[in-house]
Amino acid sequence: MKTTPTANIKKAVSQKEASTKSQTAGKSVPKQKKESLKAGSQTIPFTTDRKEANSFTVVAIGASAGGLEAVTQLLENLSPTTGMVYIYVQHLSPDHKSLLTSILSKVTEMVVQEIDDMEKMEPNNVYVIPSNKEIEVTDGHIKLIPRDKDKTS
């Protein structure tokens, strides 16, 4: 009987599958695929198959004063149940009270709130930076930092 190249490939694949099955027989195969991310000189291990129960994505949106229309359109078209946290940082005048929270609350079903110091972030919420402040996000909390008086913008 004459063998064809296709028959030889099928035979090689079936031999490889049999070899793999015999090597894993009786062994426990890990359920998580472990990988690592290189960050500078540090390697950070992580898993790709299972999420931590309290993990979520944080989306930071920065804009100048003219960015309100774009952010409004974004929030109008986002599902209120994305499972993500949105932080909106807009350049605001330190002399005027911001109306961002009330404006954005009208275009989305998500909770829109001005950031309080060390607020624990919750998914499906929009957090708006208050005027004359900077923020730092650490371990799921937003910390307000006074803005340097030396900064002009």
Side-chain angles (χ1 to χ4, degrees):
M1 182 167 125
K2 193 174 186 184
T3 60
T4 64
T6 305
N8 288 338
I9 292 171
K10 287 180 182 176
K11 183 178 176 184
V13 168
S14 107
Q15 287 173 343
K16 177 72 175 168
E17 287 173 353
S19 170
T20 303
K21 285 179 185 175
S22 68
Q23 289 174 359
T24 59
K27 293 182 181 178
S28 92
V29 179
K31 292 183 181 177
Q32 294 181 349
K33 182 178 178 185
K34 291 190 176 181
E35 297 185 24
S36 62
L37 174 68
K38 192 84 169 165
S41 62
Q42 184 180 12
T43 301
I44 304 165
F46 67 93
T47 60
T48 57
D49 294 342
R50 187 172 30 155
K51 282 188 172 183
E52 287 186 33
N54 294 325
S55 69
F56 49 81
T57 300
V58 176
V59 179
I61 304 165
S64 64
L68 180 60
E69 183 180 346
V71 172
T72 299
Q73 288 178 4
L74 173 69
L75 293 177
E76 284 175 336
N77 291 289
L78 272 177
S79 165
T81 58
T82 63
M84 296 184 225
V85 168
Y86 300 89
I87 300 175
Y88 184 46
V89 179
Q90 182 173 341
H91 178 261
L92 300 167
S93 169
D95 303 329
H96 298 1
K97 179 165 172 44
S98 172
L99 300 173
L100 281 177
T101 303
S102 63
I103 293 169
L104 297 178
S105 293
K106 294 175 184 172
V107 299
T108 182
E109 293 177 30
M110 287 188 272
V111 175
V112 179
Q113 56 196 304
E114 193 168 272
I115 299 168
D116 291 328
D117 204 16
M118 293 305 290
E119 185 161 356
K120 181 153 176 44
M121 296 182 294
E122 294 293 330
N124 304 317
N125 280 258
V126 178
Y127 297 93
V128 178
I129 191 170
S131 63
N132 215 26
K133 297 288 182 183
E134 294 182 1
I135 61 168
E136 179 179 289
V137 176
T138 307
D139 296 326
H141 293 272
I142 306 173
K143 179 180 180 182
L144 289 173
I145 301 169
R147 188 171 183 93
D148 259 347
K149 292 182 191 244
D150 295 340
K151 291 188 178 180
T152 57
S153 59

